[in-house]
Amino acid sequence: MASTLEPLRSTDAPNGSEIYPDSLETIARQLLVAIGEDPDREGLVDTPRRYAQWWREFIDYEAGKVETLFDSVSEDQLVFVSDMRVWSLCEHHLLPFNCTLNIAYRSAKNLLGLSKFGRIAHKHAHKLQVQERLVADIAKEIEDITGSPDVAVIGRGEHLCMTMRGIRTGALMTSAVFGGVFQKDGPERSHLQTLAHASGNAPRW
């Protein structure tokens, strides 16, 4: 995300430091001025740098290897990973939302390494998102990696674009993707529902 622009020396920058006309640091300073703040006052002098650093760390997140597979102990075994919390950014307002994820899949020939669920979840959360797409992206990647169409992802999130602005009412939003055997009522879906409610983070559907 490093800028290719030539740096400018500016008396507006603290300590005569280099700034870039379209850098995140400059944008942060402009934002502070636009809301009536003084970016050179004590307490805000280093805020543009911190702001830029946070954005770069969040968007440039490296998930690492997500394709670690093991031989399945038995085919058609239900694997359920619950209560994983990730943070993402609403693409409509650039405000954060947190999402608690429950992920299930029915193993075929391969089992996905446990830590890879978290890596996949963070990979798709560390971008401008909407919750509906987040759960769909996670489900699609797990299906692609494991080769199993029987994947379900349930997300339950609180969105600051609702609780901090507009109506300013706290609420939890649930979105879910059901693939394969989980799409229709049956023993697999009932089993998934039992596990999800045992986790305490999934409403009845």
Side-chain angles (χ1 to χ4, degrees):
M1 187 178 272
S3 175
T4 58
L5 297 172
E6 289 297 321
L8 303 175
R9 290 286 179 180
S10 173
T11 56
D12 295 330
N15 303 319
S17 60
E18 293 181 348
I19 62 171
Y20 294 83
D22 296 318
S23 70
L24 288 169
E25 290 85 353
T26 303
I27 291 169
R29 287 179 60 81
Q30 293 170 340
L31 174 62
L32 291 172
V33 172
I35 63 174
E37 278 286 359
D38 175 9
D40 292 321
R41 74 167 172 82
E42 185 179 0
L44 290 180
V45 171
D46 210 29
T47 295
R49 181 192 62 79
R50 295 190 188 102
Y51 172 90
Q53 182 180 2
W54 179 85
W55 269 97
R56 292 181 179 117
E57 288 176 353
F58 190 87
I59 297 299
D60 292 342
Y61 175 82
E62 294 290 339
K65 187 177 180 181
V66 297
E67 301 89 359
T68 301
L69 296 170
F70 303 96
D71 291 337
S72 181
V73 177
S74 61
E75 291 192 17
D76 300 332
Q77 183 179 26
L78 179 61
V79 177
F80 183 73
V81 182
S82 65
D83 303 338
M84 291 191 305
R85 174 170 289 194
V86 297
W87 283 89
S88 191
L89 287 168
C90 167
E91 65 182 31
H92 301 142
H93 302 97
L94 299 184
L95 286 173
F97 68 91
N98 65 69
C99 192
T100 300
L101 296 163
N102 292 329
I103 301 174
Y105 78 103
R106 198 172 66 158
S107 63
K109 294 182 179 180
N110 298 307
L111 288 171
L112 182 62
L114 179 58
S115 68
K116 307 313 173 188
F117 291 95
R119 291 183 183 275
I120 291 170
H122 279 290
K123 173 183 175 181
H124 294 287
H126 281 250
K127 62 181 71 174
L128 302 185
Q129 270 286 17
V130 294
Q131 184 175 317
E132 296 91 337
R133 187 192 307 130
L134 174 63
V135 298
D137 287 347
I138 294 170
K140 179 65 167 58
E141 181 148 11
I142 291 174
E143 178 182 348
D144 289 345
I145 292 174
T146 63
S148 172
D150 305 324
V151 178
V153 179
I154 306 164
R156 196 177 192 194
E158 179 182 13
H159 296 246
L160 298 192
C161 58
M162 179 174 179
T163 59
M164 288 184 64
R165 60 166 295 281
I167 194 170
R168 294 186 177 88
T169 297
L172 293 176
M173 170 184 166
T174 300
S175 51
V177 172
F178 299 108
V181 296
F182 300 120
Q183 288 183 315
K184 58 183 183 296
D185 289 333
E188 292 85 3
R189 185 165 173 138
S190 295
H191 191 187
L192 170 61
Q193 187 172 20
T194 298
L195 292 174
H197 283 281
S199 75
N201 277 308
R204 185 168 296 279
W205 61 83

